[in-house]
Amino acid sequence: MMNSALKDAGLYEIYEKVNAGERLDAQDAETLYSTPHLPLLGFLADIVRQRFNGNKAYYIYNQHVNYSNVCINLCKFCAFGKEKGHPKTYEMSIEDVVQKIRERKNEPVKEVHVVGGLHPDLPYEYYIDMLRAIREERPELHIQAFTCVEIAHIAKIGGKSIEQTLDDLMDAGLGSIPGGGAEVFSPRIREKLCPRKLPGAQWIEVAKTAHKKGLKSNATMLYGHIETVDERIEHLLALREAQDETGGFMCFIPLAFHPKNTALDHIAPTSGVEDLRNIAVSRLLLDNFPHIKAYWIMLGPKVAQIALSYGADDLDGTVMEEKITHMAGAETAQAMTRKEIERLIRQAGREPLERDTLYNELH
Ligand code: V47
């Protein structure tokens, strides 16, 4: 039955490769991005998911802190970053950040995810001292902070190399690096949407430099704006190549573009089919990434739950106070309880497992 359905859909050769654990190429990715047979795509991605993660689906008890929205990059897809002097900007002092951590000290938070805009004049020490202060307030917390783009910016502000900056940040308590800022690596997209942002090749260099120091990181791709399928495939293949070299990526997160309040608000939001397709193709192409995250904040809990049958094995977490997607019109809640997350996972037929940032199982 399944064989003939795969043959009729022109997906049988890819199925054979997936079954044999053979690597898919750009041509296969084109086929997967264009097939109308979504359930078959899910079937294929599920083979790889299961190989990596069996019946488990992960979540984390985490907290987000966005220290400032002042930004010199002003990317067209972003509703969060604002130019210095704009009436809607804010900037948290280190004490404000510590206060956010303190507020949840009675909760079993395992990770704090700290990111912000590229602030023109916060000094190098601000970032170092912030990590130290968080560590002092709650030493057991894993600090996942500063995207590769922020790290390059912090290095520039401090007049230091990426290596030295990473050493200083690690010394102050940096535990891992989140996957943001990757967007789409294509120079065409960067030129059109985020010309001031760190070029894709340099984003990868920062990640690889971190990996070589033993620091793990995540990777993302922002899809559903003006990127072509080929640009998505190039992005995924560049990440796969970097991962072959270092093995330092933990997780890949396809991020669904939210157009509201951005300079691209004429673009329609992504559809459920596109969301599931991006999860599935990433799972199939990134055969060296242990985890694929369906970030419920951006997908909505319903699509994120279905994504667990399309290659994803992680829903992210409790989050709390998310700003980047909500500024861009997300209608999801800003937090989910453990119980709600576990229910979504169980109903998808998976075993919910609370994890720490490095995917150690906690229960
Ligand atoms: O880099 C900005 C994206 C990213 C919009 O590593 C937008 O586990 C959609 O990377 N619509 C930041 N997306 C968030 C991020 C992330 C989130 C959760 C977990 C992890 C992880 C990483 O958000 C930015 C950018 O690509 N973004 N604006 C928007 N309007």
Side-chain angles (χ1 to χ4, degrees):
M1 255 295 270
M2 194 50 110
N3 281 2
S4 69
L6 287 161
K7 277 180 188 149
D8 290 350
L11 294 172
Y12 194 74
E13 278 177 27
I14 294 183
Y15 167 66
E16 284 189 315
K17 277 189 177 181
V18 170
N19 233 356
E22 267 176 47
R23 187 156 265 199
L24 302 184
D25 58 23
Q27 186 59 50
D28 298 324
E30 296 265 359
T31 305
L32 297 169
Y33 263 125
S34 62
T35 180
H37 301 279
L38 193 68
L40 294 179
L41 186 55
F43 168 76
L44 294 173
D46 207 52
I47 296 173
V48 184
R49 179 202 61 73
Q50 202 165 357
R51 191 174 292 147
F52 274 105
N53 295 296
N55 202 37
K56 298 169 182 172
Y58 296 94
Y59 71 93
I60 185 163
Y61 205 118
N62 62 352
Q63 171 180 8
H64 280 213
V65 177
N66 300 125
Y67 54 89
S68 173
N69 64 350
V70 178
C71 191
I72 55 172
N73 272 0
L74 305 175
C75 307
K76 289 207 170 76
F77 51 76
C78 184
F80 172 73
K82 303 264 181 299
E83 200 167 9
K84 194 179 169 193
H86 187 286
K88 288 193 176 153
T89 55
Y90 72 91
E91 211 177 289
M92 289 166 77
S93 66
I94 290 174
E95 185 43 38
D96 293 336
V97 173
V98 169
Q99 182 52 32
K100 286 278 171 207
I101 306 295
R102 197 173 292 143
E103 275 168 17
R104 303 206 176 265
K105 234 177 160 174
N106 60 346
E107 291 179 44
V109 180
K110 301 298 185 313
E111 168 195 282
V112 58
H113 178 123
V114 184
V115 293
L118 299 195
H119 197 290
D121 34 48
L122 283 170
Y124 188 77
E125 291 68 32
Y126 170 83
Y127 303 95
I128 306 289
D129 293 347
M130 186 203 299
L131 296 178
R132 286 224 167 86
I134 296 173
R135 186 170 60 184
E136 200 162 300
E137 178 63 28
R138 202 163 173 183
E140 78 283 8
L141 211 56
H142 179 107
I143 310 176
Q144 179 168 82
F146 312 136
T147 65
C148 292
V149 172
E150 285 165 279
I151 287 169
H153 176 71
I154 297 167
K156 200 166 167 194
I157 290 269
K160 305 208 189 248
S161 65
I162 298 290
E163 296 245 348
Q164 184 62 51
T165 305
L166 285 166
D167 286 342
D168 292 347
L169 293 170
M170 286 167 81
D171 186 54
L174 182 67
S176 63
I177 303 179
E183 322 310 354
V184 181
F185 295 140
S186 146
R188 183 189 79 93
I189 294 289
R190 273 179 142 70
E191 183 56 38
K192 282 203 143 94
L193 300 188
C194 47
R196 294 183 208 155
K197 186 161 248 166
L198 187 72
Q202 288 180 38
W203 186 100
I204 293 176
E205 268 316 304
V206 175
K208 288 202 294 195
T209 309
H211 297 167
K212 286 171 191 160
K213 291 183 180 295
L215 204 59
K216 296 278 185 188
S217 77
N218 293 337
T220 55
M221 173 175 75
L222 181 69
Y223 66 90
H225 41 90
I226 60 160
E227 83 290 358
T228 63
V229 162
D230 285 345
E231 285 165 339
R232 288 183 197 169
I233 296 171
E234 277 165 28
H235 184 94
L236 294 172
L237 293 181
L239 286 172
R240 186 169 80 181
E241 195 183 312
Q243 179 75 331
D244 274 343
E245 205 180 310
T246 66
F249 290 112
M250 297 181 283
C251 166
F252 176 74
I253 312 122
L255 299 173
F257 174 53
H258 283 57
K260 229 177 178 175
N261 305 322
T262 75
L264 304 174
D265 63 359
H266 55 283
I267 295 177
T270 63
S271 66
V273 168
E274 273 309 284
D275 292 338
L276 294 175
R277 188 189 294 280
N278 275 288
I279 293 274
V281 179
S282 339
R283 179 60 290 173
L284 285 158
L285 227 56
L286 298 178
D287 56 10
N288 51 7
F289 274 62
H291 303 283
I292 302 289
K293 185 184 287 184
Y295 185 38
W296 68 266
I297 288 267
M298 289 204 191
L299 297 178
K302 291 186 180 186
V303 172
Q305 182 190 36
I306 299 169
L308 295 174
S309 300
Y310 279 78
D313 61 282
D314 188 347
L315 290 183
D316 199 86
T318 49
V319 181
M320 304 184 263
E321 275 197 74
E322 198 278 343
K323 290 203 174 69
I324 299 173
T325 328
H326 285 87
M327 293 291 287
E331 285 166 12
T332 49
Q334 294 209 350
M336 198 155 31
T337 63
R338 241 183 194 159
K339 215 171 149 191
E340 286 171 300
I341 296 178
E342 291 207 352
R343 185 175 143 266
L344 289 179
I345 294 175
R346 252 194 216 102
Q347 288 194 354
R350 299 276 129 68
E351 179 194 355
L353 277 162
E354 187 183 340
R355 63 168 174 89
D356 67 10
T357 307
L358 305 175
Y359 287 85
N360 296 303
E361 294 169 14
L362 299 179
H363 295 290

